[in-house]
Amino acid sequence: MLTKPTVIRWLLVALLVVYRIEEAESGGSDHKYKPNDEVPIYANKVGPFHNPSETYRFFDLPFCLPAHIKEKPEALGEILGGDRLVSAPYKLPFMVEKDSEIVCRKRLTKKDVSKFRSAVAKDYYFQMYYDDLPFWGFLGKVEKDKTDPSEEKYYLFKHLHFEIRYNKDHVIEINAKADPSAVVDLTEDKEVEVEFMYSVKWKETDVPFETRLEKYSQSLSQPHHLEIHWFSIINSCVTVLLLTGFLATILMRVLKNDFVKYAHDEEAADDLEETGWKYIHGDVFRYPKYKSLFAAALGSGTQLFSLALFIFGLALVGVFYPYNRGALFTALVVIYALTSGIAGYTAASFYHQLEGTNWVRNLLLTGCLFCGPLFLTFCFLNTVAIAYTATAALPFGTIVVIVLIWTLVTSPLLVLGGIAGKNSKAEFQAPVRTTKFPREIPPLPWYRKTVPQMAMAGFLPFSAIYIELYYIFASVWGHRIYTIYSILFIVFIILLIVTAFITVALTYFQLAAEDHEWWWRSFLCGGSTGVFIYGYCLYYYYERSDMSGFMQTSFFFGYMACICYGFFLMLGMVGFRAALFFVRHMYRSIKCE
């Protein structure tokens, strides 16, 4: 059986595995250098600035090639993040200054000119790493023609200036700026002679090596932005909590009045006809339709909830510091695999409580409920990335590794958890007996149907998180850096509380209307926030971003559909658990024949 100590041990194992992987990713270098020592510099990728998923290998463009191209070995998380590091054509030894050093002289063919012109027109940027410090730059610029303003001129930068700061024997900071006056005109389709050059300047700084990465988080978290961020979040949270508090107060008063009324009815006359939620006490704990699917959805939602908690635990202890390449993707893959036993145990145990017998089918459904859509989406998007020859296309070896993790870790743990759940002695604790035949549900107005109830249930939790969503989207689908995990965790907790309260309230009103089919309704209402988040995706794509092109569009809507589906399962589980606790308490508090 998966006991609480077992779950804690799993978390410790996950933390240890992620820590070891990150330790391996950082390499064996101690980042200490002597004058004239070679410092590793790698070129990573190029791509349109506004399409973060559409990135290509650096040498897909006709840059100067180094004498020996060496690919840097990468961990699973780095490959999933689209990183493809190769040795750069620049030489930047420690504390060695250079002035207009020639990289190479190259004759660009018409095809090369066309490639560079297209890249400049699409606002391509490059990313490199110097001593594991990331830096960026643009390939060129577009200007209006002075003689004809309706025409545009395309220029390629040919001279890069590197400014490197050091503290004793450590590299602390690097910046790369292009010389705006040293350009090549690519407007016409003709061969061009280019002399690529670079300069290097070294400056001493007193910033310690241990804090050299802080500038990447500070650059996009200026004090005034941070104050606005905190104020917006606090304002949103206070508003939502007040609404939730009013709702809870009203609900408790109504419930208290119901208890008094039913107690008075029992004392006054036992033969009075029952009304409201007490009238359906013999049907309220009748097992739902498609109970295998219901149990599988609960299992998958519980696993994703556990995954979210573990990821927050790693974030709050500082594992996901800025540009710790691949850390988040590695953690997601490892922890999802290790928590599959939680899904198996939860699904099989609840299915057993619902008196289900086909537990093998239930486990298969649990294993495929989230992974199935995710796998189909990945297959389509990976095919698109391969067609675009983008770095988002996973190599065959990486796909094999993921399949092996799923086969050798995820599936066995799912089965073991399922066996433990099937053999658990837990029983469904219904405080009242269920009648043999279900009562007929009275006709309900349109606003009490499932879809309007889902719309009402999803709006309030979504209003608690929509401000934070912008910062998250700007980080995941842009170039901002998100480091304020404490705020995100607070918003996550409020999201859970509001989801639980609104689902409980709607469940009460549903039962008061003598509609006893609340099981699936509570799950759908709890998870409806995921639908609102996907609606926000449409708004963000068309109104707040400059993304374009088939590949970026398909990646954005494809992977966001999977993420929102995951939120649907997780919050649906939270909503149902809260509603189940409330309904049990409600019927336990009255006397039913």
Side-chain angles (χ1 to χ4, degrees):
M1 184 181 293
L2 296 180
T3 59
K4 189 175 180 181
T6 305
V7 174
I8 293 174
R9 282 197 295 270
W10 278 14
L11 174 57
L12 293 175
V13 168
L15 289 168
L16 181 62
V17 169
V18 173
Y19 173 77
R20 291 298 183 190
I21 290 172
E22 295 313 313
E23 194 178 57
E25 285 180 357
S26 64
S29 171
D30 59 1
H31 300 283
K32 289 186 176 181
Y33 305 99
K34 297 176 182 177
N36 294 312
D37 279 358
E38 288 293 333
V39 182
I41 177 170
Y42 292 99
N44 187 11
K45 52 193 175 184
V46 294
F49 183 76
H50 298 295
N51 289 357
S53 298
E54 187 185 342
T55 54
Y56 304 93
R57 292 177 180 271
F58 186 80
F59 291 114
D60 282 354
L61 290 176
F63 289 110
C64 299
L65 294 172
H68 303 285
I69 297 180
K70 176 188 173 186
E71 294 194 2
K72 185 179 185 294
E74 290 165 322
L76 175 62
E78 293 177 293
I79 297 173
L80 292 175
D83 289 338
R84 302 292 186 271
L85 274 68
V86 295
S87 49
Y90 306 102
K91 299 290 183 183
L92 310 179
F94 190 67
M95 292 184 66
V96 175
E97 295 198 347
K98 297 184 178 182
D99 185 27
S100 300
E101 182 88 2
I102 296 175
V103 183
C104 74
R105 292 183 177 88
K106 188 167 185 177
R107 185 172 187 83
L108 299 180
T109 64
K110 290 183 180 180
K111 185 178 180 181
D112 294 339
V113 169
S114 177
K115 280 185 177 181
F116 273 127
R117 183 172 62 244
S118 175
V120 171
K122 294 177 181 177
D123 209 18
Y124 266 43
Y125 73 99
F126 66 82
Q127 185 191 42
M128 296 188 188
Y129 283 90
Y130 182 71
D131 191 38
D132 282 338
L133 291 172
F135 64 95
W136 305 262
F138 286 97
L139 301 187
K141 61 180 179 179
V142 181
E143 291 184 349
K144 297 288 185 182
D145 194 333
K146 294 178 180 179
T147 57
D148 185 0
S150 63
E151 297 292 326
E152 292 182 329
K153 305 280 283 184
Y154 300 94
Y155 298 101
L156 175 69
F157 297 134
K158 64 178 184 178
H159 192 161
L160 270 182
H161 292 276
F162 295 99
E163 185 179 286
I164 308 172
R165 298 181 182 272
Y166 69 97
N167 186 348
K168 297 178 182 177
D169 52 1
H170 288 295
V171 176
I172 303 300
E173 183 182 342
I174 181 170
N175 293 297
K177 295 180 181 178
D179 184 349
S181 60
V183 294
V184 180
D185 191 346
L186 304 176
T187 308
E188 298 179 8
D189 266 330
K190 63 180 182 180
E191 293 187 354
V192 179
E193 287 281 351
V194 184
E195 189 175 67
F196 290 100
M197 297 182 293
Y198 67 103
S199 302
V200 186
K201 296 291 182 185
W202 288 82
K203 293 183 179 180
E204 192 170 6
T205 181
D206 56 0
V207 175
F209 173 77
E210 292 75 19
T211 61
R212 67 176 187 163
L213 287 171
E214 286 185 1
K215 79 150 195 165
Y216 296 103
S217 56
Q218 291 171 353
S219 62
L220 295 173
S221 299
Q222 298 296 334
H224 60 283
H225 290 152
L226 199 57
E227 287 177 10
I228 294 171
H229 194 176
W230 270 109
F231 178 77
S232 301
I233 293 302
I234 291 172
N235 181 54
S236 175
C237 292
V238 167
T239 304
V240 170
L241 286 177
L242 283 174
L243 289 172
T244 307
F246 288 143
L247 184 63
T249 304
I250 294 169
L251 186 60
M252 294 307 294
R253 282 194 174 187
V254 171
L255 201 56
K256 185 178 179 181
N257 292 336
D258 286 350
F259 288 149
V260 172
K261 175 178 176 293
Y262 290 142
H264 181 266
D265 289 347
E266 288 169 6
E267 294 173 1
D270 290 336
D271 59 347
L272 287 176
E273 184 180 356
E274 295 177 342
T275 58
W277 53 266
K278 187 181 179 184
Y279 174 69
I280 57 171
H281 65 81
D283 297 278
V284 75
F285 291 104
R286 190 178 305 281
Y287 298 148
K289 298 176 182 177
Y290 314 110
K291 53 190 176 184
S292 181
L293 177 62
F294 190 80
L298 278 184
S300 297
T302 306
Q303 180 187 7
L304 293 170
F305 178 68
S306 305
L307 173 65
L309 291 181
F310 290 174
I311 290 296
F312 272 118
L314 291 173
L316 293 173
V317 298
V319 171
F320 306 132
Y321 57 84
Y323 297 106
N324 186 6
R325 293 194 306 274
L328 180 59
F329 289 110
T330 302
L332 286 171
V333 172
V334 170
I335 297 175
Y336 183 83
L338 292 175
T339 53
S340 58
I342 296 175
Y345 176 80
T346 305
S349 174
F350 199 79
Y351 187 59
H352 175 70
Q353 293 178 39
L354 298 182
E355 301 176 4
T357 54
N358 196 344
W359 69 277
V360 175
R361 185 181 68 177
N362 175 248
L363 275 186
L364 288 173
L365 197 55
T366 305
C368 297
L369 194 62
F370 180 71
C371 284
L374 181 63
F375 175 74
L376 293 176
T377 304
F378 163 75
C379 288
F380 170 72
L381 296 179
N382 203 57
T383 304
V384 172
I386 290 172
Y388 274 72
T389 65
T391 60
L394 295 189
F396 179 74
T398 304
I399 297 174
V400 170
V401 169
I402 293 174
V403 170
L404 288 175
I405 290 174
W406 192 85
T407 306
L408 302 178
V409 180
T410 306
S411 298
L413 286 177
L414 179 73
V415 173
L416 288 174
I419 293 171
K422 172 181 173 290
N423 296 326
S424 66
K425 303 299 182 183
E427 295 181 357
F428 187 77
Q429 299 172 354
V432 292
R433 291 194 304 271
T434 301
T435 57
K436 189 174 182 180
F437 300 103
R439 294 180 186 269
E440 184 179 354
I441 299 173
L444 300 172
W446 66 270
Y447 57 84
R448 288 192 180 274
K449 299 294 177 67
T450 301
V451 174
Q453 293 285 294
M454 286 177 65
M456 285 188 278
F459 177 75
L460 194 59
F462 174 75
S463 66
I465 64 170
Y466 84 97
I467 292 177
E468 198 64 17
L469 280 179
Y470 170 75
Y471 295 97
I472 297 170
F473 274 55
S475 174
V476 176
W477 300 105
H479 300 280
R480 287 179 177 266
I481 306 167
Y482 195 97
T483 56
I484 317 171
Y485 298 110
S486 54
I487 293 180
L488 189 59
F489 185 65
I490 293 170
V491 172
F492 179 70
I493 295 298
I494 290 175
L495 172 65
L496 298 179
I497 293 171
V498 176
T499 299
F501 266 99
I502 193 69
T503 307
V504 164
L506 290 176
T507 301
Y508 169 78
F509 293 127
Q510 180 183 355
L511 295 177
E514 301 179 7
D515 181 358
H516 54 79
E517 295 181 347
W518 62 275
W519 297 66
W520 274 109
R521 177 77 66 83
S522 63
F523 189 94
L524 294 173
C525 287
S528 60
T529 306
V531 180
F532 276 81
I533 295 174
Y534 200 67
Y536 180 83
C537 292
L538 294 168
Y539 165 75
Y540 182 85
Y541 182 86
Y542 289 107
E543 298 295 332
R544 302 301 295 269
S545 78
D546 294 313
M547 292 184 277
S548 61
F550 177 73
M551 178 183 167
Q552 182 62 43
T553 303
S554 58
F555 264 68
F556 179 78
F557 287 107
Y559 280 128
M560 283 310 302
C562 293
I563 292 171
C564 293
Y565 176 54
F567 265 92
F568 174 80
L569 292 174
M570 180 182 71
L571 295 177
M573 180 276 299
V574 171
F576 170 74
R577 290 292 187 187
L580 178 62
F581 175 82
F582 170 76
V583 172
R584 276 178 174 161
H585 173 74
M586 190 166 66
Y587 281 92
R588 195 179 288 122
S589 302
I590 62 169
K591 178 183 175 183
C592 296
E593 298 297 332

